[in-house]
Amino acid sequence: MNDVAAAAGVALKTVSRVVNDEPGVNATTAGRVRAAIERLGYRRNDSARILRRGRTASIGLVIEDVADAFYSSLSQAVEDAALRHGYLLFSGSSREDSARERDLVLAFCSRRVDGLIIVPAGSDHAYLTPESEAGLKVVFADRPPGAGFEADTVLCDNVGGARAGTAHLIAHGHRRIAFLGGSPGIFTAAQRLRGYRQALAAAGLPYDEGLVAMGPPDPARTRADLTRLLAAFDPPTALLAGNGRTTVDTLRALASLSGTADAGLALVGFDDFTLADLLGITVVAQDPVRLGRTAADLLLMRLSGDERPVNRIELGTRLIPRGSGERPPLPRLGRTAG
Amino acid sequence: MNDVAAAAGVALKTVSRVVNDEPGVNATTAGRVRAAIERLGYRRNDSARILRRGRTASIGLVIEDVADAFYSSLSQAVEDAALRHGYLLFSGSSREDSARERDLVLAFCSRRVDGLIIVPAGSDHAYLTPESEAGLKVVFADRPPGAGFEADTVLCDNVGGARAGTAHLIAHGHRRIAFLGGSPGIFTAAQRLRGYRQALAAAGLPYDEGLVAMGPPDPARTRADLTRLLAAFDPPTALLAGNGRTTVDTLRALASLSGTADAGLALVGFDDFTLADLLGITVVAQDPVRLGRTAADLLLMRLSGDERPVNRIELGTRLIPRGSGERPPLPRLGRTAG
DNA sequence: CTGAAAGCGCTAACAC
DNA sequence: GTGTTAGCGCTTTCAG
């Protein structure tokens, strides 16, 4: 900036004014400055600017995994909102590791991001208290913060969605419905299990632990779970898959077990996915774009001075019937009592 | 840092030493400092650090669209490599808009990222010359930089992949093969068209412009293209879809046209996608993770001082037969000449 | 082992 | 309209 000033024969401050489009600079002078900038290939150093102004115009996004369709859609929505408002985006994936979440968050804090959108992997966010007190704005998305930390939160209606999916299967005559969900320690998985149980209870059906299999998405495990379930004395006639990856793993497992007694199993997946329409898979759809946009809007409101009490927003889900969830129970020959 | 120093009864510099794990600090003193840091909730301000050191330990990633599976996989790979080496990642999507690409890149440059990985939307990168001369390291991924700008580049073998896909269809007896590709202005789309033509030429088949439809992925357009192709006097018996989204759009279109004469059309897609296995879709698979990792490794090498001449790496593709590409041509009743 | 002073490149506040 | 000065919070350099 000094060099530019020298080259244009003006003071440092004038260059600053031109660079920042501040009013009160003679058009001719400004032209001379701009020419010098062009000639020298000068680019403002935002690090210095940030240091001086105390505002970075950047926000941090911590999700579980960018390569997952749900989170990449969410990212896209957050990115759009951020860029539209002049914020740059730092992003990182926790990979469901709370230490990595914490490291990312603290690294972003050290960079003095103005705000943070977090899909938490961990359940303790006390480490954010000093930042929050120092004025950092934080919004939690998809999962709430750990107990003891208050912040705006945007969630999907996991309980309602799972309840609706299960009720749908019950309405189609199913009485033995298995639930294949994510790790019970993950908020969304636990909530979906609750919804599943609520629907069973509402229909007067018993809750059978033998019909529940939970854990991190893993094709081999899903296949094993399914094999076990179908080999039982009283196997399920329907499945509720608790998340997108498990739904896909379940489809693969069913395809590979095909020809055996599994065919005709009804299936409802939680979270929509590409080509579910072509495959005829009934799902409880979430709206990751809306989730991301809502979280971003909330954060941007806070960043522009909104001081209202903490929000907790729950977005609805939508059941999309496509065939797999509307199949009636298949009578299982040679296995009925007697 | 001043406050911490005061609270711990030491000088500023000692706090700095502790914060940065520099050697030469008495363990007791260090303990006192750390206690003060904890008590005050102090977090180093990286903006100041960056300003002083002239190195931001961050890299910028500009892709086409995070919500696209290909680019989100690439992102994940880049992110992993970056974090592993202590770099934070700025990311943004150009949405195939060269102005947005430029704005993002320049914003990252203003933040003084140490390096940049770009999937270019535009074809003029002269605007990067000053940065490059100032020491910024740039790697291009998936598509090369515009003429006149030299930089490391990592590509997929688009020509070879499309040639292999087309040759595969020819080997299965097809003579009239349509190509549904992306906008001809996009490097990858143009290269894949070349590969398609090479394969036809190698087999002595004519190139028929009526069998080629190119443009930005759009379900409605794909459907219209397909309808037109199939209604022609001498319709194709096979399709080569030029990218992931078009492959999916093609599948939907074929499904909705189903029952009519389209069934039995052979199909090879370029770029693999989730569930292509279950749907039995033969594809020419790229490896976005490897692409991202290679680009990141290249950049990290440069950042650690590698000054060797510019690299241009081309990653191979892999044809995965799954059924759709192995169907023989279907004789078309009532349409043959005579 | 610890500390004091200078300065990274910019902007805010105030002259002229 | 333009210029001068101070200082953002840190690291570097050099002294104790």
Side-chain angles (χ1 to χ4, degrees), chain A residues 62-263:
Chain A
V62 179
I63 57 183
E64 203 256 292
D65 178 7
V66 232
D68 183 282
F70 181 83
Y71 295 109
S72 67
S73 296
L74 190 157
S75 287
Q76 182 60 275
V78 169
E79 186 197 310
D80 276 351
L83 294 184
R84 205 167 37 240
H85 287 79
Y87 287 87
L88 245 41
L89 194 67
F90 276 112
S91 58
S93 303
S94 71
R95 298 293 188 89
E96 214 66 271
D97 173 345
S98 61
R100 186 162 159 154
E101 170 206 320
R102 188 170 178 281
D103 289 349
L104 277 167
V105 166
L106 290 181
F108 293 164
C109 288
S110 280
R111 298 298 176 105
R112 293 294 187 272
V113 293
D114 299 320
L116 226 35
I117 294 180
I118 307 178
V119 176
S123 54
D124 179 10
H125 298 94
Y127 69 88
L128 268 170
T129 307
E131 322 293 345
S132 177
E133 281 167 357
L136 177 73
K137 310 298 180 190
V138 185
V139 173
F140 283 76
D142 196 45
R143 309 171 184 175
F149 189 83
E150 286 279 297
D152 289 326
T153 304
V154 188
L155 305 171
C156 290
D157 179 13
N158 294 290
V159 175
R163 195 171 48 217
T166 310
H168 186 73
L169 290 167
I170 294 173
H172 284 273
H174 295 275
R175 295 293 170 266
R176 301 222 13 108
I177 303 168
F179 177 68
L180 304 173
S183 297
I186 296 177
F187 174 79
T188 49
Q191 293 291 96
R192 292 169 196 172
L193 176 63
R194 274 186 58 198
Y196 162 81
R197 296 189 63 163
Q198 285 182 6
L200 294 181
L205 294 175
Y207 171 66
D208 179 354
E209 279 197 352
L211 289 177
V212 172
M214 297 177 86
D218 170 10
R221 196 182 46 77
T222 298
R223 196 173 192 290
D225 287 338
L226 222 46
T227 309
R228 182 177 47 72
L229 283 166
L230 294 175
F233 171 74
D234 196 5
T237 61
L239 306 173
L240 180 69
N243 59 63
R245 269 182 291 188
T246 300
T247 308
V248 169
D249 290 345
T250 299
L251 287 173
R252 291 227 173 79
L254 286 176
S256 77
L257 296 171
S258 190
T260 66
D262 67 285

Side-chain angles (χ1 to χ4, degrees), chain A residues 40-48 50-51 56-58 64-69 72-73 75-77 79-80 83 86-95 100 102 104 106-112 127-131 248 251-252 255 273-279, chain B residues 40-48 50-51 56-58 64-69 72-73 75-77 79-80 83 86-95 100 102 104 106-112 127-131 248 251-252 255 273-279:
Chain A
L40 273 64
Y42 166 81
R43 226 75 89 176
R44 180 177 67 198
N45 183 330
D46 274 352
S47 301
I50 285 165
L51 177 59
T56 59
S58 57
E64 203 256 292
D65 178 7
V66 232
D68 183 282
S72 67
S73 296
S75 287
Q76 182 60 275
E79 186 197 310
D80 276 351
L83 294 184
Y87 287 87
L88 245 41
L89 194 67
F90 276 112
S91 58
S93 303
S94 71
R95 298 293 188 89
R100 186 162 159 154
R102 188 170 178 281
L104 277 167
L106 290 181
F108 293 164
C109 288
S110 280
R111 298 298 176 105
R112 293 294 187 272
Y127 69 88
L128 268 170
T129 307
E131 322 293 345
V248 169
L251 287 173
R252 291 227 173 79
F273 56 95
T274 312
L275 296 175
D277 56 337
L278 276 194
L279 288 163
Chain B
L40 273 62
Y42 167 82
R43 225 76 87 181
R44 180 178 64 198
N45 184 330
D46 274 352
S47 302
I50 285 165
L51 177 58
T56 59
S58 55
E64 202 256 292
D65 178 6
V66 231
D68 184 283
S72 68
S73 296
S75 287
Q76 181 62 273
E79 186 197 309
D80 276 352
L83 294 183
Y87 288 87
L88 245 40
L89 194 67
F90 276 111
S91 58
S93 303
S94 71
R95 297 293 190 92
R100 186 162 159 155
R102 188 171 177 281
L104 277 167
L106 290 180
F108 293 163
C109 289
S110 279
R111 298 299 177 105
R112 293 293 187 272
Y127 69 89
L128 268 171
T129 308
E131 322 291 347
V248 169
L251 288 173
R252 291 227 173 79
F273 57 95
T274 313
L275 295 174
D277 56 338
L278 276 193
L279 288 162

Side-chain angles (χ1 to χ4, degrees), chain B residues 152 298 301-302 305-311:
Chain B
D152 288 327
L298 222 47
M301 296 278 317
R302 294 298 184 193
D306 181 4
E307 297 287 352
R308 279 175 295 186
V310 159
N311 290 289

Side-chain angles (χ1 to χ4, degrees), chain B residues 125-126 128-129 132-133 136-140 144-153 302 308-312:
Chain B
H125 298 95
L128 268 171
T129 308
S132 178
E133 280 167 0
L136 177 73
K137 310 297 180 192
V138 185
V139 174
F140 283 76
F149 189 83
E150 285 280 297
D152 288 327
T153 304
R302 294 298 184 193
R308 279 175 295 186
V310 159
N311 290 289
R312 182 174 176 126

Side-chain angles (χ1 to χ4, degrees), chain B residues 139-163:
Chain B
V139 174
F140 283 76
D142 196 44
R143 309 169 185 177
F149 189 83
E150 285 280 297
D152 288 327
T153 304
V154 188
L155 305 171
C156 291
D157 179 13
N158 294 290
V159 175
R163 196 172 48 217

Side-chain angles (χ1 to χ4, degrees), chain B residues 305-334:
Chain B
D306 181 4
E307 297 287 352
R308 279 175 295 186
V310 159
N311 290 289
R312 182 174 176 126
I313 298 175
E314 206 166 68
L315 303 178
T317 59
R318 197 162 50 94
L319 192 138
I320 309 176
R322 294 195 180 114
S324 75
E326 292 73 45
R327 287 200 278 263
L330 202 72
R332 303 191 54 97
L333 306 175

